[in-house]
Amino acid sequence: MIVRKAHPNDAPELVRILNAVIAIGGTTAYQTPRDASYFQPFIAASDPKIFIHVAEAEDRLQGMQWMEPLDPPQTHIGGIATFARPGTAQKGIGTALFKATKQASQAAGYSELYAKIRADNAGGLAYYEKMGFRDHHVDTAVPLTDGTPVDRITKRLKLDPSH
């Protein structure tokens, strides 16, 4: 598996992966499909704190992970999002992506990462826990577009500046 920074020509495939996850439902806070322009700020960013990594295997993008800072003045805390092509769970994609993302995050000056995960996304909660994230707080009963209340769990990971 190859993990690399995303290129502009990756955007159509990235949006196909994201929209497939959205269509399945239940594992992302995103509820409406996106278009390829959604990824341009991550791909074209000159700020080292904003980036997107992709995992490629078998000549195909298998997943992505992006990072962006929290709103100022908390630019030392990065928000992470991870998506894998449906049907590829447990193939090491997330672990490979996180290795690259963690290294790039430390190089960019982040001291802490956060992920906000739907409480009904057992796979996402387990993934971030496995990567070392710990529960930070819960936003209770956040309504989906159809009104269904779903808790959002924020997990955080403090980065070791010596690594």
Side-chain angles (χ1 to χ4, degrees), residues 68-104:
E68 62 185 325
L70 283 181
D71 293 331
Q74 298 188 67
T75 58
H76 66 285
I77 302 174
I80 189 171
T82 309
F83 294 90
R85 181 179 299 284
T88 61
Q90 305 298 318
K91 296 197 185 250
I93 295 164
T95 301
L97 284 166
F98 188 66
K99 182 178 178 185
T101 295
K102 184 177 178 183
Q103 184 177 24

Side-chain angles (χ1 to χ4, degrees), residues 37-121:
S37 68
Y38 180 77
F39 291 104
Q40 288 311 314
F42 297 101
I43 294 171
S46 59
D47 183 342
K49 290 182 177 285
I50 301 170
F51 57 86
I52 185 168
H53 285 124
V54 297
E56 190 173 11
E58 301 168 7
D59 297 323
R60 189 173 187 198
L61 294 184
Q62 302 294 329
M64 69 189 108
Q65 191 166 68
W66 66 78
M67 181 66 61
E68 62 185 325
L70 283 181
D71 293 331
Q74 298 188 67
T75 58
H76 66 285
I77 302 174
I80 189 171
T82 309
F83 294 90
R85 181 179 299 284
T88 61
Q90 305 298 318
K91 296 197 185 250
I93 295 164
T95 301
L97 284 166
F98 188 66
K99 182 178 178 185
T101 295
K102 184 177 178 183
Q103 184 177 24
S105 295
Q106 289 170 310
Y110 286 118
S111 60
E112 193 171 348
L113 305 180
Y114 87 101
K116 190 175 280 194
I117 307 114
R118 285 175 48 161
D120 57 351
N121 180 356

Side-chain angles (χ1 to χ4, degrees), residues 8-51:
N9 58 341
D10 293 328
E13 190 62 18
L14 294 176
V15 81
R16 276 192 282 281
I17 293 169
L18 178 59
N19 287 340
V21 172
I22 292 169
I24 292 168
T27 63
T28 179
Y30 292 101
Q31 297 172 64
T32 57
R34 304 292 193 236
D35 64 35
S37 68
Y38 180 77
F39 291 104
Q40 288 311 314
F42 297 101
I43 294 171
S46 59
D47 183 342
K49 290 182 177 285
I50 301 170
F51 57 86

